[in-house]
Amino acid sequence: MVVNSIHWFRKGLRLHDNPALLAALNGADTVRCVYILDPWFAGSTNVGVNRWRFLLESLEDLDTSLRKLGSRLFVIRGQPADVFPRLFKEWNTTRLTFEYDSEPFGKERDAAIIKFAEELGVETVVKNSHTLYNLDRIIELNNNSPPLTYKRFQGIISRLEPPKKPVASLTKEQMQKCPTDIPETPYECFRVPSLDELGFKTATLSPSIWKGGETEALLRLEKHLERKAWVASFERPRINVNSLIASPTGLSPYLRFGCLSCRTFYYTLLELYKKVKGNRSPPLSLFGQLLWREFFYTAATNNPKFDRMEGNPICVQIPWDKNPKALAKWAEGQTGYPWIDAIMIQLKQEGWIHHLARHAVACFLTRGDLWISWECGMKIFDELLLDADFSVNAGSWMWLSCSAFFQQFFHCYCPVGFGRRTDPTGNFIRHYIPKLKDFPNRYIYEPWNAPDTVQKAAHCIIGIDYPKPMISHAEASRLNIERMKQIYQHLSHYKGLSLLASVPTVSEEIDLEYCNKHSSMPGKVSPLGKRDRPPDLEIDEKCTDPKVSCSHLMEGNFEQ
Amino acid sequence: MKRGRKSLEDECRSPFKEFKKGCKKVKTTDATSFDTFVDWSTLPQDVVLEIFKCLPLLDRAHASQVCRSWNQAFHMPELWRCFEFELSQPATSYLKATHPDLIKQIIKKHSNHLQYVSFKVDSSKESAEAACDILSQLVNCSLKTLGLISTARPSFMELPKSYFISALTVVFVNSKSLSSLKIDDTPVDDPSLKVLVANNSDTLKLLKMSSCPHVSPAGILCVADQCHGLRELALNYYLLSDELLLALSSEKHANLEHLRIDVMSDNPGQTQFHTIQKSSWDALMRHSPKFNLVMYFFLYEEEFDPFFRYEIPVTHLYFGRSVSKDVLGRVGMTCPRLVELVVCANGLRPLDEELIRIAERCKQLSAVGLGECKVSCSAFVEFVKMCGGRLSQLSIMEEVLIPDHRYNLEQIHWEVSKHLGRVWFPDMMPTW
């Protein structure tokens, strides 16, 4: 029987550690690799030019790599539901392979395609390689619901077997057994389009700081590990001004698009750690970046409403303000707070900002200052941020706005102070807001406080050359902390004066061994009775789970 | 409830009519069914009332459409003691607004039943206006509780002051029994406070008025002087005076339970903070030894000079901006009654000494929150050891803890958990 395979690239834009691709080749007579490009995204304001450029560069890279092995990439315009019927017929497809997509809409789209394929007698093979673990297994181990605190998540992970090892990369020999070319088909038909063809104006585009593609990803991985080994310390690095600038070893966009396999990253990092530190078991924090990503994927996979507040069972219903003008100022970097503006400008120009910079601007938009919904911020990030996807972007925004995951909300990032402590030199601001470059360090984070003489000397009058601050941080934070407190106290039924006790606590998963080991530890807990629950594995998150997020906030409750 | 163009009644009618029809069909001949025919419309009113008390408003409204007696029950005064008016515009808020027909009905039929009322408004001026509109119509009300709550930008502040004041004073004058009043972020002023006092001085127990810029220290002093039952007060620091504290400590005055003070400044060096005499605080302490003093600071680091220079009975402290090591050191020395300490940010130098001192001297401390600060792991363990199990709230951002020769980040949570008597982890932030 003839086996004609199609491997469908969506994320997973790589040839290394790609089990679904290997499955396509397995005993096949022909294999064709396709990428389906939905034309409606092109030029639309939802996805910015940097994201498109990264994607196209990744596709080019994939095509080049496939060509080296005697194959090629077929880029097909359209929607999968329309494209596949055509393809299956024209190419006599008998097998379809792709990497598992855990996101709710991905699952829905894929279910439809699988059903359709089965009806036509096309075998489908789906392999999991975008996440370290099988997410359903994590959920299963947590009483069939996704862990809602990171610590609990880590607890579950530590009980799982290690992630599957990456599979071998595709070789020329394997490829040669399964020719690809379609005779008499001009190359032009299926090649990777250019940005211009997709409707972007590229004349004024600055060169990309983050070059897309697997080749670049693997190069960066090497450099990333080199640096870690050189530092010989795997501690969380202190942030300084250099961290704010796009790092040549940064990997997040490559993980998001799948140009780099997370399992490859995991195992190469582990190997290096063992080499440097001996055979000790590494702490979970070594894989922090990967595990956070995993956490959000797990939280989102069964929740199609994960990216919105209304109807989302894990999201606290907060009466955010709707204020398009204020939102625009934030998105454009016109808030009048240089620290915030510089970050947003970097984001727009380059497509990446450091995670602490993300905390700063997210806090400013939502619970810190502007009191605008995190959904608005999430949509802007979706457009501009290279490593944003449904799960991680929405999850991070909910976390940073204290809308989910039981966060304490007291720590507010000051748009002046936090910036100054992170980069006392002010050079980050000077780089992205050249207008402010002549302000002395003392005033660069709060130029409106500079005396007129200083402003004149800097050739930048606040209010004319650079906006005045759009909001009073002191007033706003006072108001907002009060509101957050009221909302949380309403949810936790707490009526006292403590700020910290307003947030419902979630008893963490206890390591049973710990319990037995330290049995000298008094079983009772501290006196603040009502708010404190004894560590009880049964209670876990069920008691605080959907009820806490509750929609009864919206049901017109009144104070009795 | 936010409803479409259909009226409330239309919406509710159909499902319950079916239910009623269904009820009438119950056969009495079946031995396993009820002994007597059940006509729900004859259920005693007080029973219906108790049931309705358990239902949210929307369900109650639906039920009221079923039959006349249930409709009567729906309108019984006991069900209209409390109401929260939610006033918002879809363009400015995610809040679902209370239906205008319902508002009309309440004012028409129930304004004299209302006792505990609050208004939730969004950031649009229209919503604040609508709230004032309703307030002006509450002429027959004897309100015990009134709350004006801004859920976003304070829209009450955008109204012409006189418009707001005249609406508010309708309630002050007519209620004469106001016990709890929350008017933070509103343009209330001294004369209107005088009106409040003139009519409600016997009953006023709680007054929250943070960020009311038109009120002066004299205005609030008038309230303290006349309202001897005042137990809870929330205001901004600039309104605080020695005279106020002494008025609250006078013999005629009830014991103060809770005083909340917001200390605010926007621009360094532009606000001069006056000092309060230690003797005023002492007088208040003698008068109300169990009172809670809650202070929220939103100041620049260099503006803390007048504060924490002598012993002060503060119980809950929140530093919403960065606060210096020096000030935290002074806190340890001057706040023996401290129950909760929350610090948003400090800086890069470790707060080891300061924390230890606080553990030593603040024996009531049971809640600590540290944001952007630094503490060495050893000092932190020492701190927790000294406080022990009384720390029921310990919220420390992971980045705060600096690993040292004795403990690294992995070990610290075991140590701390051991001394706390429960499992503890620092707070985390996504590093993606």
Side-chain angles (χ1 to χ4, degrees):
Chain A
M1 208 198 79
V2 175
V3 176
N4 293 322
S5 297
I6 293 182
H7 176 73
W8 181 16
F9 279 107
R10 304 95 64 81
K11 291 183 183 169
L13 302 176
R14 62 176 183 270
L15 300 182
H16 69 275
D17 189 26
N18 199 333
L21 179 55
L22 291 185
L25 287 160
N26 190 12
D29 296 281
T30 65
V31 170
R32 298 202 178 104
C33 299
V34 310
Y35 184 88
I36 300 179
L37 197 62
D38 189 332
W40 298 111
F41 284 171
S44 89
T45 51
N46 278 344
V47 181
V49 66
N50 283 324
R51 287 266 295 253
W52 271 109
R53 181 163 53 176
F54 193 92
L55 173 65
L56 295 180
E57 282 169 352
S58 303
L59 294 178
E60 282 285 357
D61 188 69
L62 202 54
D63 186 45
T64 308
S65 305
L66 283 168
R67 283 180 180 282
K68 289 202 186 114
L69 301 178
S71 180
R72 62 163 295 179
L73 179 69
F74 291 86
V75 176
I76 302 168
R77 313 250 194 138
Q79 304 226 341
D82 301 321
V83 166
F84 279 118
R86 239 189 331 126
L87 277 189
F88 288 168
K89 202 159 151 217
E90 277 176 30
W91 293 354
N92 275 326
T93 312
T94 58
R95 184 190 296 161
L96 174 67
T97 66
F98 53 88
E99 181 186 68
Y100 178 66
D101 182 351
S102 68
E103 305 196 309
F105 294 122
K107 290 200 289 194
E108 209 182 294
R109 166 202 62 198
D110 293 345
I113 301 287
I114 291 175
K115 181 158 177 285
F116 173 73
E118 277 170 2
E119 279 165 15
L120 287 187
V122 174
E123 178 200 358
T124 48
V125 181
V126 182
K127 296 283 188 183
N128 183 35
S129 52
H130 190 67
T131 52
L132 293 174
Y133 300 95
N134 177 346
L135 304 182
D136 292 327
R137 179 112 175 83
I138 298 176
I139 292 174
E140 192 189 8
L141 277 180
N142 192 46
N143 292 328
N144 291 320
S145 85
L148 287 180
T149 62
Y150 188 65
K151 276 302 164 185
R152 185 177 194 85
F153 174 79
Q154 284 186 310
I156 307 257
I157 294 286
S158 61
R159 283 159 37 195
L160 282 177
E161 313 80 38
K164 288 212 179 101
K165 291 238 164 94
V167 303
S169 304
L170 196 52
T171 62
K172 196 159 187 175
E173 290 70 33
Q174 283 170 303
M175 209 64 207
Q176 276 173 342
K177 291 197 191 130
C178 325
T180 298
D181 274 328
I182 313 165
E184 290 151 32
T185 306
Y187 168 60
E188 285 300 299
C189 262
F190 296 109
R191 65 168 176 73
V192 180
S194 68
L195 275 175
D196 290 295
E197 284 171 292
L198 291 179
F200 289 101
K201 310 230 177 319
T202 52
T204 50
L205 205 55
S206 40
S208 63
I209 308 257
W210 298 80
K211 181 152 183 284
E214 179 186 12
T215 311
E216 177 68 18
L218 291 173
L219 244 130
R220 281 175 172 251
L221 177 62
E222 225 180 275
K223 284 196 231 160
H224 183 100
L225 295 171
E226 257 171 38
R227 204 160 83 163
K228 274 211 153 51
W230 178 69
V231 172
S233 134
F234 293 85
E235 309 285 344
R236 188 203 289 261
R238 295 278 148 76
I239 180 173
N240 57 40
V241 62
N242 289 322
S243 345
L244 293 172
I245 314 277
S247 161
T249 59
L251 297 171
S252 57
Y254 303 92
L255 287 165
R256 181 249 181 256
F257 281 90
C259 302
L260 173 64
S261 153
C262 57
R263 307 191 300 199
T264 302
F265 183 23
Y266 182 96
Y267 278 102
T268 40
L269 189 57
L270 181 61
E271 220 176 271
L272 180 67
Y273 182 88
K274 293 209 154 140
K275 210 160 81 169
V276 173
K277 297 266 190 181
N279 253 325
R280 284 184 6 218
S281 214
L284 274 181
S285 56
L286 178 68
F287 307 110
Q289 191 181 16
L290 286 175
L291 290 180
W292 275 106
R293 175 179 178 270
E294 203 85 359
F295 172 75
F296 288 126
Y297 277 128
T298 312
T301 183
N302 292 331
N303 184 355
K305 300 238 167 88
F306 192 70
D307 64 344
R308 64 198 72 152
M309 176 172 78
E310 248 179 277
N312 183 348
I314 65 161
C315 185
V316 178
Q317 305 295 312
I318 297 178
W320 302 111
D321 197 14
K322 287 188 189 176
N323 191 343
K325 285 208 184 100
L327 176 64
K329 284 192 183 158
W330 174 83
E332 302 289 318
Q334 296 285 307
T335 64
Y337 285 92
W339 168 237
I340 304 294
D341 291 342
I343 294 171
M344 294 306 288
I345 290 172
Q346 181 186 31
L347 175 62
K348 188 156 200 188
Q349 284 178 359
E350 299 175 17
W352 178 91
I353 47 177
H354 189 275
H355 72 259
L356 285 176
R358 296 177 203 200
H359 297 177
V361 297
C363 184
F364 186 85
L365 181 70
T366 59
R367 63 185 175 88
D369 296 77
L370 299 183
W371 197 252
I372 290 177
S373 171
W374 58 270
E375 288 180 66
C376 299
M378 177 194 78
K379 289 186 183 125
I380 303 284
F381 269 31
D382 203 41
E383 188 187 325
L384 302 174
L385 187 62
L386 289 176
D387 57 45
D389 63 15
F390 174 85
S391 314
V392 177
N393 195 17
S396 305
W397 272 94
M398 279 194 278
W399 189 292
L400 297 175
S401 62
C402 293
S403 294
F405 313 114
F406 308 102
Q407 291 311 295
Q408 281 290 346
F409 52 85
F410 71 84
H411 54 279
C412 183
Y413 292 96
C414 176
V416 173
F418 181 55
R420 187 180 275 143
R421 287 184 287 275
T422 305
D423 172 25
T425 66
N427 287 334
F428 177 74
I429 293 180
R430 291 195 184 90
H431 181 86
Y432 289 99
I433 312 180
K435 281 211 188 94
L436 296 175
K437 69 176 168 49
D438 293 323
F439 270 88
N441 289 356
R442 184 166 166 209
Y443 293 111
I444 194 160
Y445 284 94
E446 38 186 345
W448 62 89
N449 280 331
D452 288 339
T453 46
V454 174
Q455 293 187 25
K456 283 208 183 89
H459 306 290
C460 180
I461 308 297
I462 302 306
I464 302 175
D465 302 304
Y466 179 74
K468 286 200 178 136
M470 66 184 288
I471 193 167
S472 150
H473 177 67
E475 262 306 324
S477 42
R478 183 204 71 81
L479 262 171
N480 293 344
I481 201 115
E482 205 48 48
R483 284 192 205 119
M484 289 300 277
K485 191 170 79 156
Q486 278 166 22
I487 290 166
Y488 270 92
Q489 288 189 341
H490 185 89
L491 290 179
S492 59
H493 305 295
Y494 174 70
K495 291 196 163 56
L497 298 173
S498 162
L499 192 58
L500 299 177
S502 313
V503 179
T505 46
V506 180
S507 354
E508 301 292 354
E509 175 81 50
I510 304 166
D511 199 11
L512 282 173
E513 290 170 44
Y514 170 77
C515 244
N516 298 333
K517 237 196 293 184
H518 299 260
S519 55
S520 58
M521 167 178 105
K524 64 173 162 56
V525 253
S526 52
L528 244 221
K530 185 158 68 141
R531 296 287 309 114
D532 228 321
R533 296 193 190 90
D536 182 19
L537 291 171
E538 294 303 303
I539 296 179
D540 63 83
E541 278 144 48
K542 276 195 263 207
C543 62
T544 38
D545 181 282
K547 275 200 285 191
V548 173
S549 61
C550 60
S551 47
H552 64 239
L553 231 196
M554 303 291 258
E555 260 173 51
N557 282 5
F558 21 90
E559 301 197 67
Q560 296 284 343
Chain B
M1 312 162 277
K2 192 176 177 133
R3 294 268 137 209
R5 286 299 110 198
K6 272 194 274 186
S7 82
L8 204 58
E9 279 106 20
D10 292 335
E11 285 272 278
C12 304
R13 201 157 279 147
S14 35
F16 279 87
K17 262 206 164 144
E18 300 304 316
F19 172 80
K20 196 174 162 201
K21 270 197 222 145
C23 276
K24 288 243 157 78
K25 288 201 184 118
V26 171
K27 299 277 185 247
T28 48
T29 50
D30 189 353
T32 56
S33 70
F34 306 118
D35 285 333
T36 51
F37 175 66
V38 180
D39 181 355
W40 291 100
S41 62
T42 60
L43 202 59
Q45 285 293 53
D46 42 353
V47 176
V48 179
L49 179 63
E50 288 307 308
I51 296 173
F52 276 15
K53 275 186 186 166
C54 304
L55 295 176
L57 181 60
L58 194 56
D59 294 344
R60 246 185 270 162
H62 286 168
S64 75
Q65 299 303 306
V66 169
C67 62
R68 200 165 292 151
S69 74
W70 283 17
N71 193 286
Q72 274 174 356
F74 179 64
H75 287 291
M76 286 172 80
E78 289 86 338
L79 294 171
W80 296 97
R81 300 258 176 260
C82 304
F83 199 79
E84 182 165 76
F85 292 94
E86 286 177 323
L87 303 161
S88 61
Q89 309 287 321
T92 39
S93 173
Y94 296 92
L95 270 182
K96 305 248 185 312
T98 310
H99 196 273
D101 286 348
L102 178 59
I103 296 180
K104 276 198 201 108
Q105 205 180 59
I106 292 175
I107 296 178
K108 197 168 98 181
K109 286 191 176 161
H110 299 290
S111 57
N112 52 334
H113 303 152
L114 290 172
Q115 288 180 344
Y116 307 94
V117 173
S118 58
F119 291 85
K120 268 204 180 137
V121 299
D122 69 2
S123 57
S124 69
K125 203 165 152 190
E126 290 82 1
S127 304
E129 276 168 1
C132 288
D133 209 42
I134 299 173
L135 278 173
S136 343
Q137 296 180 66
L138 296 181
V139 202
N140 296 323
C141 280
S142 272
L143 291 188
K144 295 206 173 114
T145 305
L146 174 64
L148 301 179
I149 304 165
S150 314
T151 61
R153 280 168 294 158
S155 43
F156 284 115
M157 294 303 296
E158 290 176 46
L159 298 174
K161 192 169 90 136
S162 49
Y163 176 58
F164 174 78
I165 301 289
S166 54
L168 192 60
T169 46
V170 165
V171 174
F172 288 173
V173 167
N174 287 285
S175 284
K176 298 204 192 303
S177 58
L178 269 177
S179 145
S180 157
L181 182 62
K182 295 186 188 168
I183 42 175
D184 311 86
D185 306 294
T186 60
V188 67
D189 59 3
D190 289 359
S192 42
L193 285 182
K194 278 215 174 81
V195 175
L196 168 69
V197 165
N199 290 282
N200 299 277
S201 59
D202 292 337
T203 49
L204 195 65
K205 294 205 177 74
L206 181 153
L207 176 59
K208 291 210 192 286
M209 34 171 277
S210 299
S211 291
C212 294
H214 300 295
V215 177
S216 79
I220 189 68
L221 185 57
C222 170
V223 177
D225 271 335
Q226 309 281 332
C227 303
H228 298 144
L230 197 60
R231 289 182 171 63
E232 291 185 50
L233 181 59
L235 39 64
N236 281 32
Y237 186 76
Y238 77 90
L239 290 179
L240 200 64
S241 60
D242 295 301
E243 292 79 12
L244 180 65
L245 293 179
L246 292 173
L248 292 171
S249 321
S250 79
E251 240 182 77
K252 299 176 280 187
H253 219 280
N255 280 356
L256 192 67
E257 282 168 17
H258 167 203
L259 178 60
R260 152 85 185 257
I261 304 175
D262 286 330
V263 192
M264 319 266 301
S265 143
D266 238 327
N267 299 306
Q270 282 178 26
T271 320
Q272 293 302 328
F273 290 103
H274 61 287
T275 47
I276 302 289
Q277 305 283 354
K278 181 177 187 309
S279 50
S280 314
W281 288 118
D282 290 344
L284 189 53
M285 268 301 290
R286 278 194 300 271
H287 181 261
S288 310
K290 296 212 177 90
F291 94 106
N292 286 303
L293 177 58
V294 179
M295 296 184 79
Y296 280 25
F297 286 87
F298 299 91
L299 300 183
Y300 276 77
E301 276 193 25
E302 53 265 32
E303 295 176 301
F304 279 94
D305 241 36
F307 300 101
F308 305 108
R309 293 290 173 194
Y310 53 75
E311 219 174 80
I312 180 174
V314 64
T315 52
H316 296 73
L317 266 184
Y318 174 62
F319 293 103
R321 274 188 120 131
S322 85
V323 60
S324 70
K325 213 163 121 71
D326 183 52
V327 171
L328 287 175
R330 300 208 307 262
V331 165
M333 304 288 293
T334 57
C335 306
R337 293 179 84 220
L338 197 61
V339 168
E340 177 176 76
L341 173 65
V342 182
V343 179
C344 229
N346 163 259
L348 297 172
R349 286 158 60 210
L351 293 174
D352 297 4
E353 277 172 34
E354 289 75 16
L355 267 190
I356 303 285
R357 183 181 306 152
I358 287 172
E360 269 168 6
R361 306 187 62 144
C362 305
K363 296 288 186 206
Q364 315 288 330
L365 190 67
S366 63
V368 173
L370 297 179
E372 235 189 291
C373 306
K374 294 282 177 215
V375 182
S376 75
C377 284
S378 313
F380 187 64
V381 172
E382 188 61 35
F383 170 75
V384 176
K385 229 183 346 199
M386 290 169 75
C387 296
R390 64 181 153 93
L391 277 183
S392 59
Q393 295 288 334
L394 186 59
S395 170
I396 311 290
M397 298 296 295
E398 204 194 21
E399 291 89 351
V400 169
L401 303 169
I402 312 174
D404 54 23
H405 57 280
R406 285 181 59 200
Y407 303 102
N408 66 25
L409 289 175
E410 267 64 48
Q411 297 163 312
I412 192 144
H413 95 264
W414 293 130
E415 275 302 311
V416 172
S417 303
K418 203 167 71 184
H419 295 298
L420 281 182
R422 64 176 190 276
V423 179
W424 178 87
F425 294 100
D427 292 352
M428 314 218 34
M429 287 293 261
T431 52
W432 173 244

